[in-house]
Each structure stands twice: as C-alpha cells, then as structure tokens.
Amino acid sequence: MRRRAFLKAAACAGTGALTALRPVPAADVEIEITPEKPGAVINPHIYGHFIEHLGGVIYDGIWVGRNSKTPNVGGIRKQFVDDMKRLGAPNLRWPGGCFADGYHWRDGIGPASKRPRTYSYWESYMPAGKHATETNQFGVHEFMRLCRLVGAEPYIAANVGSGSPREFHDWVSYCNAPAGAESLAGERAANGDKEPFGVKYWGVGNESWGCGGDMKPGEYATQYRRFVTQFPAYVAPFLVATGPRGHSRDMDLAWTEGFFAGMQGGHRSPVHGFSLHFYSDFRNNKTRVADFKAADWYAVLLEGLRTEAVIEAHWKIMGKYDPQHRTKLVIDEWGVWYQPGEEIRPDYILSQPVTLRDALHTAITFDIFNRHADKIEMANVAQTVNCIHSLFLALEDKYTRTPPYYVFEMYRPHMGARLAPMQVRGAELTVPTQEGTAKLTPLMGSASIREKRLTVTLTNPSLDAPVTARLKFAGAARANAGRGVALTHSDMRARNTFNNTDEVRLAPLPVNISNESVVVVIPKQAVAAIEIQLA
Ligand code: AHR
C-alpha cells in the first residue's frame, strides 16, 4: 500500500505542486500477454459517437451555419470535421437521446427557410428566459453530409414514443430506397441527394422506459414488433432495441428480462442489437466538477469500473433467451455525468467541464469494452461535443479538445484489431473514498494484435506513484521495437479551456526493450498507449 505517499500528495493537491514532492518509488506490476492466441475482433464501432439536438451540441457545436465566421464546410464546423476524421470516428448516433422520441424527420427536410420551428424535449431544462425551440436547420441531409465528411456510418434513433411505424418506415425508405423505386426516393433526390444514404443502423426508440414513452418492458416489446415487422429492408439492417438504464443501482435487470420475455414467439422481429445506457452518474454529488478531492477522483474511476459487471449481468440474461448470442450489446450512451451549474454558456445545457479524471475514466471504459469485444457491436460516447463527456467544447469561434479526446486518439489502433489475452499481476492499491477506503487494481488495460503489431493500453489510477510495468509474452513472441505515449498532468484536475487549449496533451513515453521483456514506467494519474512491433 502506498498510503504515506498518498497523504503527502493529497496535502499538496491544492497547490498544483505534486511534482515537487520527494519521488515515490514506482510499484512493480507484471503483465503477461498472449499475442499468439488472439480473441474476438474489436469492432471499430465501439469507438463511436452520439450527437443530440440538445443545448449547444448540434447548433454551434457542429452546425455553425453557412454564413458563419467560424470556418465551416457548408455550415458544418470545420475543426470538428477535421478532428473526427483524425480519430477515424466510425459512426454518429443522431438525433437523440430523448430528443429522438419527439422528433419528426419531415420537419428537417426541404428548403431550410421553409422548415418549421418546433418544440424540443429539452425545453424544461433551459434557464429562465431561454427556449430550446428546434429550428430544424440541421436535418437528415445535413446529418448525412456530416457523416460523409467525417467518414462515419450513420446510426439513426427513430421516434417510437410519439411517432408511428409508418413514420419510421417512411424515414427508412426516404434514406434507403434506390433512386426511382419509391416516391420518397424522388423526394430525397429533389432535396439534393439522388443516391440512397444506405443507413444500416436504426435504433427503435430511445430509453423507452423513460423519456421515450414511459413504457414497461413488455409494452415496449409489443411496440418493437409493430415497428420492425414491416421494415423496408433495402439495406440489410441492424436494428437496435431499447435496453436498460444500466446505471440504476439494481442495473435495471428487470428491463432486459421483461423485454426478451415479451419477444418470445415473434418470428418477424429480429433484434440485432440491444441498447445499454451506462452513465457514471454523479448528478447528486455537489462537488464542483473541476475542483475535486482525491476521494472524488477515485469515486469516478470506481464507478466506471462497474461497467464490466453491468455488461456481464445483462449478457447473462440475454443468453437465457438467445443462447447463441445473436443479439449483441450496443452501449449507445456512456460517460460521466456531473451536476449542472458550470456550463460553457447557461443555455448550452449539460456542457460540463471535462478534466484529466474523465480521460482516465474513458480509458478504463474502453479497456472494458475491448475485453468484452465478443459481446459489443457498438458504443457511443455521450456526447461528442458541448455535453456530458465531451471530446470537444466549442463556442462560436472558440474551440478546444478535452482530455478524453486524446484517449480516443491513443486507442485508435485497437479499432478492428483482435483482442490479445492479458493478465496483470501486482499489489492492489488502497484508495480513499467518501465511505472509507476501497481496493483498486494497480493497472487496468487491454491489448490487441493486428498482424505483428501489438497495442497495449494501460491506466495508472494512482494519485501517488508511477508504476513500472514489465510486459512479458506467453509463447514465442518477442518484441522488436516499441514506442509509447502518455496522457497525464501534475494536477489531477487539469483540463483544457478556450484560453489554454494545450494544458493536457500527449507526451512521448519511453519504452525499454530487452530479450526478456518490455519495460515501461507509467506516470501516476496517467493513461499510456504502447505500440510494440513483434519479431
Ligand atoms: O445524453 C443526454 C440524455 O441522457 C439523452 O438524451 C438520454 O437518452 C439520456 O437520458
């Protein structure tokens, strides 16, 4: 245990002077990787995104308008497009969220000046005197253009709560019917896109247990059947059913049980994906988001680690009804959600500060997703810009990447690679919590292999001390060359702001290769990504 060192660090936490402390010896952790027995392919869609008509996410975050002074590509913020391309963003979920079950897609097509102004679900969240009125300037054609610019696959959440199967099916035909096949294809062409959009991923509602219709799981199963039975299958679809509120204390297992029980006996309503929402929910914690103590740091990481148990518990229930596991998980909302009050602008609701702590949470989450690559088709961070767990903050011509952005960049090599089994051996940390103490593994991570290139990502959660990681390979594999990068900062609360966009950024990490092993010293409170070329 590194208790003494922790107390010293905590005592200085307010001064930003952690680096001035007497160096604390690094703990030793042994990591065994078996590259010769690769597991499931890590679906690139695990590194996916979510953008909703909410606060400053779409309007300003992404859509600045064609006449804006902010550099744009036909109205879409250029810097956003460039950064998303850099990440290889695989998909974009849109238009919500809760917004989806009140959205009528026809409002967002046709000449922009003729589109209606409509009610938004988010109205009641707005500060006094401000409205969430939807202008519909960003509709389906603008969304598809964004997807094309980024190179991302569209994932559309359809309206079940206040929509109808016909409205849904018309939307699908509008997007996917070949030119000339249906009147809707002609209408699409008249609006500027002759060629079909080819949308494969369709969400059948969102949070149908809450803002998406306040249904019981059996009621939703009935709706799901109605909505998908006559689905216009121009493109082989991947249909996603609304899943549980995974962050409920009881994990909402009853939803999963009730939904799949309600689907029994149906033969014409496939469920390709089952949505799971898992927020690390700190909305009731009154600590200021960017001004927290050590116990708050660990609380967020420990809550993030719960993702694993939630995945396993729901997967087990799904297996009772679908022993071959044809239905995969789609974790289409995840992130750390703090209490309101520190938005970048009051009406940009949910645009919370994002710190180094959230970057470590991101890394821990991705490592869990990678380790469960056999179960997960897709995951979508909530939400990509100006929102809960954002990679970017944007306000008119101001823009910054947040610390989690860099984790997406670091983990990019995992996309489409095969999981490499990995074991971590080292003494557990004892860390402070609000209730007392908790145990934490000294390093969390995952590894993947593509041909001879091994990627290892590791998180050192400790606020006290670095960790010396000794990587060994089971079998005949040997390292030829290696390089690393790390994301850390001397202040656990560090973040990037519009005035200081580079406060948290990547730095090179030395990787030492010998005959026997690869040795890397991972700084405290850091995420590391190591690329190893195998002989
Ligand atoms: O991401 C914000 C909201 O959180 C989404 O609209 C909703 O689906 C969830 O409750």
Side-chain angles (χ1 to χ4, degrees):
M1 180 178 110
R2 289 172 255 151
R3 176 90 185 136
R4 211 169 133 243
F6 165 74
L7 289 174
K8 279 187 153 191
C12 290
T15 67
L18 293 180
T19 44
L21 288 171
R22 189 161 49 83
V24 179
D28 260 26
V29 168
E30 195 178 291
I31 297 176
E32 187 178 273
I33 301 174
T34 314
E36 287 157 5
K37 291 193 180 153
V41 171
I42 297 170
N43 196 320
H45 283 298
I46 284 177
Y47 292 84
H49 293 269
F50 170 35
I51 51 171
E52 177 169 8
H53 289 245
L54 182 174
V57 177
I58 298 291
Y59 298 110
D60 200 8
I62 296 167
W63 180 256
V64 294
R66 292 188 179 83
N67 301 323
S68 172
K69 281 186 280 179
T70 303
N72 66 86
V73 199
I76 297 172
R77 187 182 282 275
K78 184 171 181 310
Q79 183 74 62
F80 179 79
V81 170
D82 292 347
D83 276 346
M84 292 290 272
K85 273 165 71 174
R86 191 178 158 89
L87 294 178
N91 63 60
L92 287 164
R93 177 179 186 242
W94 173 83
C98 289
F99 180 82
D101 284 283
Y103 181 63
H104 301 284
W105 66 272
R106 280 196 160 280
D107 293 340
I109 59 170
S113 60
K114 296 222 168 83
R115 295 185 195 170
R117 294 166 65 82
T118 49
Y119 179 80
S120 163
Y121 167 83
W122 293 104
E123 179 66 25
S124 62
Y125 290 75
M126 293 297 277
K130 296 279 180 191
H131 295 286
T133 310
E134 174 56 46
T135 63
N136 288 300
Q137 296 303 291
F138 189 90
V140 67
H141 291 263
E142 289 77 17
F143 172 62
M144 292 303 168
R145 185 143 41 84
L146 170 65
C147 289
R148 280 196 295 257
L149 286 168
V150 168
E153 274 219 51
Y155 169 26
I156 294 183
N159 180 346
V160 170
S162 66
S164 66
R166 177 171 183 175
E167 184 184 7
F168 175 38
H169 300 158
D170 282 354
W171 198 0
V172 177
S173 284
Y174 185 85
C175 289
N176 291 352
E182 284 190 46
S183 311
L184 284 161
E187 195 178 352
R188 183 188 67 227
N191 286 329
D193 281 290
K194 184 164 180 249
E195 294 311 316
F197 297 133
V199 181
K200 170 180 170 185
Y201 291 97
W202 291 91
V204 184
N206 166 75
E207 297 195 348
S208 304
W209 37 263
C211 60
D214 209 8
M215 293 179 235
K216 298 198 171 65
E219 291 169 345
Y220 173 68
T222 305
Q223 289 301 319
Y224 184 87
R225 293 175 188 222
R226 289 184 64 232
F227 270 70
V228 308
T229 302
Q230 288 275 340
F231 187 89
Y234 292 110
V235 172
F238 190 97
L239 298 169
V240 182
T242 291
R245 185 179 191 271
H247 46 289
S248 302
R249 277 294 121 189
D250 63 359
M251 300 184 190
D252 201 9
L253 298 176
W255 178 272
T256 301
E257 192 78 60
F259 171 72
F260 283 101
M263 292 300 291
Q264 292 308 291
H267 303 293
R268 294 173 180 269
S269 28
V271 185
H272 305 112
F274 186 56
S275 148
L276 165 65
H277 288 184
F278 186 80
Y279 285 102
S280 295
D281 191 351
F282 287 86
R283 277 174 287 179
N284 289 328
N285 183 324
K286 296 301 167 214
T287 316
R288 279 181 66 79
V289 179
D291 185 19
F292 52 84
K293 305 272 188 308
D296 305 307
W297 164 276
Y298 289 115
V300 165
L301 303 190
L302 286 162
E303 187 59 20
L305 285 169
R306 231 164 57 83
T307 311
E308 186 144 36
V310 172
I311 291 171
E312 283 168 352
H314 287 282
W315 188 251
K316 192 167 164 204
I317 297 174
M318 289 159 70
K320 268 181 24 190
Y321 295 93
D322 170 24
Q324 289 168 340
H325 281 297
R326 279 181 292 243
T327 303
K328 302 291 181 202
L329 283 168
V330 173
I331 306 175
D332 50 16
E333 291 188 29
W334 66 268
V336 191
W337 195 339
Y338 300 106
Q339 86 277 14
E342 295 167 71
E343 295 75 16
I344 56 170
R345 211 174 88 171
D347 54 334
Y348 286 13
I349 51 170
L350 316 191
S351 61
Q352 61 193 32
V354 188
T355 68
L356 178 67
R357 173 176 62 168
D358 304 308
L360 269 79
H361 179 284
T362 309
I364 287 171
T365 303
F366 280 151
D367 287 319
I368 293 171
F369 290 170
N370 288 347
R371 295 200 299 267
H372 293 277
D374 58 327
K375 308 176 181 65
I376 307 175
E377 167 81 12
M378 183 189 282
N380 310 77
V381 66
Q383 302 187 9
T384 307
V385 54
N386 283 351
C387 201
I388 295 167
H389 191 111
S390 292
L391 287 71
F392 313 106
L393 297 174
L395 183 58
E396 295 162 5
D397 60 347
K398 302 192 204 70
Y399 179 90
T400 187
R401 297 165 172 171
T402 68
Y405 163 86
Y406 291 101
V407 179
F408 277 73
E409 195 175 301
M410 295 164 90
Y411 278 57
R412 189 174 172 177
H414 283 311
M415 292 166 70
R418 289 182 71 183
L419 187 70
M422 175 171 131
Q423 285 198 338
V424 177
R425 292 184 209 101
E428 281 189 317
L429 299 176
T430 302
V431 299
T433 62
Q434 308 293 2
E435 298 77 29
T437 58
K439 297 282 186 194
L440 206 50
T441 47
L443 273 185
M444 299 107 172
S446 64
S448 69
I449 180 95
R450 191 193 319 259
E451 293 168 2
K452 292 276 181 191
R453 194 180 70 183
L454 182 70
T455 301
V456 185
T457 44
L458 296 166
T459 293
N460 177 3
S462 170
L463 292 170
D464 306 345
V467 167
T468 300
R470 290 174 206 287
L471 281 66
K472 298 193 166 157
F473 304 114
R478 290 288 170 271
N480 241 351
R483 63 195 169 122
V485 283
L487 185 73
T488 189
H489 195 280
S490 58
D491 184 351
M492 64 179 171
R493 294 157 304 187
R495 59 178 164 142
N496 296 333
T497 59
F498 294 136
N499 294 329
N500 192 0
T501 56
D502 270 343
E503 187 62 29
V504 185
R505 58 181 193 279
L506 293 176
L509 183 72
V511 175
N512 301 304
I513 296 182
S514 70
N515 277 346
E516 290 302 304
S517 61
V518 175
V519 179
V520 189
V521 178
I522 301 173
K524 64 181 184 169
Q525 56 207 43
V527 182
I530 300 143
E531 293 278 315
I532 298 167
Q533 193 59 42
L534 297 176

